[in-house]
Amino acid sequence: MYGWIWRHIPFKQWQLKSLVSVVLIGALTAVLWYKVFPAVEPILPFDDVQVETDDPAGDSGQMEPPPSTAPSKGPSSLPSKVPSKLPTKTLSAPAVLPS
């Protein structure tokens, strides 16, 4: 199909044929964008959004609170392996020598 179109463009130079091809593509895009797509939009199901739920309450608007769970506690009876006071190093600033 594209070869047939390319052979039937009336110019001999490939630059002019390319320009005519780009214009044809732009014209086809404009016709689709402004005429065809708006004409078929009403019959397309894009605006028909329905959310189905299995909630027996329906659309009451009230949400159930999340189930309450007690926070998990770690084993507090085990001795801690982390020392209570970590050793710290004191860093001294390097001396700046005049140049």
Side-chain angles (χ1 to χ4, degrees), residues 28-41:
L28 178 64
T29 303
V31 167
L32 286 173
W33 191 265
Y34 292 109
K35 296 293 180 185
V36 176
F37 295 155
V40 297
E41 182 188 13

Side-chain angles (χ1 to χ4, degrees), residues 62-73:
Q62 295 184 8
M63 296 177 55
E64 292 183 25
S68 62
T69 58
S72 62
K73 294 183 179 180

Side-chain angles (χ1 to χ4, degrees), residues 34-65:
Y34 292 109
K35 296 293 180 185
V36 176
F37 295 155
V40 297
E41 182 188 13
I43 61 174
L44 294 176
F46 296 131
D47 292 335
D48 187 22
V49 179
Q50 296 179 2
V51 179
E52 297 179 12
T53 65
D54 294 332
D55 186 15
D59 292 337
S60 64
Q62 295 184 8
M63 296 177 55
E64 292 183 25

Side-chain angles (χ1 to χ4, degrees), residues 6 10 13 25 29 34 44 50 55 81 90 92:
W6 186 259
Q13 297 175 343
I25 290 170
T29 303
Y34 292 109
L44 294 176
Q50 296 179 2
D55 186 15
K81 292 185 179 183
T90 56
S92 60

